[in-house]
Amino acid sequence: MGRFVVACTPLHGHVTPLLAVTAALTARGHEVVVCTGARFAGAVEAAGATHRPLPGPADFDDRRLEAEVPERGARGRIARVNADIRRLLADRLPAQHVAVAAAVAEVGPDAVVVDSSFLGGITWRLGSASPPLAVVNVTFLTLGGRGVPPAGVGLAWRPGVLGGLRDRAVRQVTDRVVVRPGLRALDAAATSVLGAPVPGMLFDGPGMADLLLVATVAGFEHPRSDLPAHVRYVGPLAPPAATGGTPPWWGDLDGRRVVHVTQGTMDTADPGRLLAPTLAALAADDVVVVASTGGRPVAGVTDALGGPLPANARVVPFVPYADLLPRVDVMVTNGGFGGVQQALAEGVPLVCAGDGEDKPEVARRVARSGAGLDLRRGSPSSARIGRAVRTVLADDRYRRAAGRLASEMAATGGAAAAADEIEALADRGRRRR
């Protein structure tokens, strides 16, 4: 059996898919050491692996991002984007690099596996001949290519000459102006461990690995004609289905149309952005609205509503998706990548409303696929949400498009396919030694 080092940024939406892969590897008898945040130690052990804490700045608590990145409250999306690049990527990179190097020296793995924001894994690979590195892409595919809009600005896909001209112009403005402060911070971080910057690290860095596993399917991504040979679509990397523990009102969903609304696990501080407006928008509709707060107190939702919950609302901190999603008719989401993939895997159409991190990019892909609507804002009005939900409920084309993606996802293999690819990568690495 083999030995593997897995390293991931301590964000819930990044750790979860990496632990799905970890569980698939340990189930086959492999030894896996997982380097991630201290708060995930129990989840790592539950996946059958050994937890190794991240050093110093590489570790943080994603439930307190407002403290980690105080600039997230600043006005202007550009300022927030650059703050995230600097605080969550550049400032963590040197410690991540050290963490991977130390784990490799101690474990002697056959391969290293990191998530796509663990850029210290990329710098480690660029400075080391072995073992090979696999990156698990836990968001939309950021690699540049022909006919693909530049990553990070939320452009809709536009084919043809005019689309290509637009993409090149926007890419230049993005790199030279929009994210230039963040890119400078990344260059400085890479230089501190390698002695030189790494051009293209922000979006093309995952492509520098020996293997890039993408946690979706080609049908969800923008069409591209020049996909690198080492890229593999493996489908959603969801954790093992955890059922049970459903709330006492679960029977209220029987025979009813169900709308689920979520702000994911990061953008949960203000339920007035999406949860409360959705509950208000559908209060008089013949649906049950299930809202999850991402762990925040339910009282925050009633505060945002300015009054009691509507009679058709059911609000909980968390809800097991394995139980809920098969019952859902429409999901209203801020566009978190992992949640969107889990919904589509069940054939659930979507209404997306997000304006931070990768959310606009995910929403554009949902709209292009036909599996839902993109509201193009993070704090839509109740009226706008209500119209969108009713449109998706009334038009079966959205559910059919989501169903096509669900069929494609079912054929990929998920975590088992990812484990197959990682085992093959390790075998190739052993033969090269």
Side-chain angles (χ1 to χ4, degrees):
M1 292 292 102
R3 287 178 292 182
F4 299 92
V5 165
V6 173
C8 48
T9 308
L11 294 166
H12 183 272
H14 295 221
V15 174
T16 298
L18 269 290
L19 289 188
V21 176
T22 295
L25 290 170
T26 58
R28 301 178 183 192
H30 298 300
E31 175 188 340
V32 183
V33 173
V34 178
C35 307
T36 193
R39 91 173 184 92
F40 296 104
V44 169
E45 292 167 2
T50 300
H51 177 255
R52 183 185 176 106
L54 290 170
D59 194 6
F60 58 92
D61 191 332
D62 62 337
R63 296 167 296 185
R64 293 191 285 272
L65 278 182
E66 296 89 348
E68 295 288 340
V69 190
E71 299 94 332
R72 288 175 70 86
R75 285 190 172 186
R77 183 165 179 255
I78 292 177
R80 293 196 300 270
V81 167
N82 280 286
D84 279 351
I85 295 171
R86 186 174 70 255
R87 298 281 194 178
L88 297 179
L89 298 179
D91 289 357
R92 321 288 170 173
L93 186 154
Q96 291 175 348
H97 182 104
V98 169
V100 173
V104 168
E106 177 182 314
V107 176
D110 299 294
V112 174
V113 184
V114 303
D115 79 85
S116 46
S117 70
F118 203 92
L119 298 183
I122 302 296
T123 57
W124 164 81
R125 183 68 183 95
L126 295 175
S128 176
S130 64
L133 174 70
V135 169
V136 177
N137 206 88
V138 296
T139 182
F140 69 97
L141 187 56
T142 61
L143 302 186
R146 289 194 301 272
V148 180
V153 293
L155 287 179
W157 177 69
R158 181 185 294 175
V161 175
L162 290 180
L165 292 173
R166 179 206 65 173
D167 293 346
R168 284 192 291 274
V170 173
R171 185 175 292 111
Q172 289 184 5
V173 173
T174 300
D175 291 349
R176 295 178 182 178
V177 179
V178 177
V179 295
R180 189 57 190 157
L183 293 180
R184 287 174 177 162
L186 277 177
D187 285 348
T191 299
S192 72
V193 296
L194 292 178
V198 181
M201 172 167 286
L202 179 59
F203 295 124
D204 293 331
M208 300 174 191
D210 302 286
L211 173 67
L212 179 57
L213 302 173
V214 186
T216 186
V217 290
F220 180 76
E221 279 292 346
H222 294 318
R224 50 173 75 215
S225 59
D226 59 348
L227 193 70
H230 70 298
V231 176
R232 302 285 189 276
Y233 288 105
V234 295
L237 298 173
T243 60
T246 53
W249 45 258
W250 201 249
D252 297 348
L253 308 185
D254 295 342
R256 301 288 302 280
R257 281 189 156 183
V258 177
V259 177
H260 173 49
V261 57
T262 174
Q263 289 180 206
T265 56
M266 288 181 65
D267 187 18
T268 58
D270 179 10
R273 300 201 72 200
L274 193 55
L275 298 187
T278 301
L279 295 177
L282 302 175
D285 289 48
D286 185 18
V287 297
V288 178
V289 186
V290 179
S292 56
T293 68
R296 300 275 184 167
V298 173
V301 179
T302 57
D303 291 343
L305 279 168
L309 295 174
N312 66 345
R314 306 292 184 270
V315 184
V316 289
F318 291 104
V319 61
Y321 271 5
D323 291 321
L324 178 65
L325 288 177
R327 292 171 169 257
V328 171
D329 294 280
V330 180
M331 177 167 160
V332 181
T333 172
N334 68 338
F337 183 83
V340 165
Q341 299 307 306
Q342 289 185 63
L344 291 174
E346 292 289 343
V348 177
L350 300 147
V351 172
C352 297
D355 62 0
E357 300 91 34
D358 58 352
K359 310 300 190 295
E361 296 277 5
V362 173
R364 304 299 181 268
R365 285 159 171 77
V366 167
R368 189 200 63 78
S369 73
L373 295 176
D374 174 11
L375 300 187
R376 290 183 169 265
R377 61 198 67 195
S379 300
S381 67
S382 288
R384 190 178 181 92
I385 295 169
R387 286 194 300 269
V389 170
R390 295 178 196 112
T391 296
V392 174
L393 283 172
D395 192 338
D396 195 51
R397 288 179 296 180
Y398 297 104
R399 180 165 286 277
R400 290 200 302 269
R404 288 192 293 272
L405 287 175
S407 296
E408 187 179 354
M409 290 173 172
T412 58
D420 289 342
E421 295 287 352
I422 292 167
E423 287 177 329
L425 176 68
D427 287 341
R428 293 193 295 271
R430 294 187 197 100
R431 290 195 295 269
R432 288 198 298 265
R433 290 177 188 172

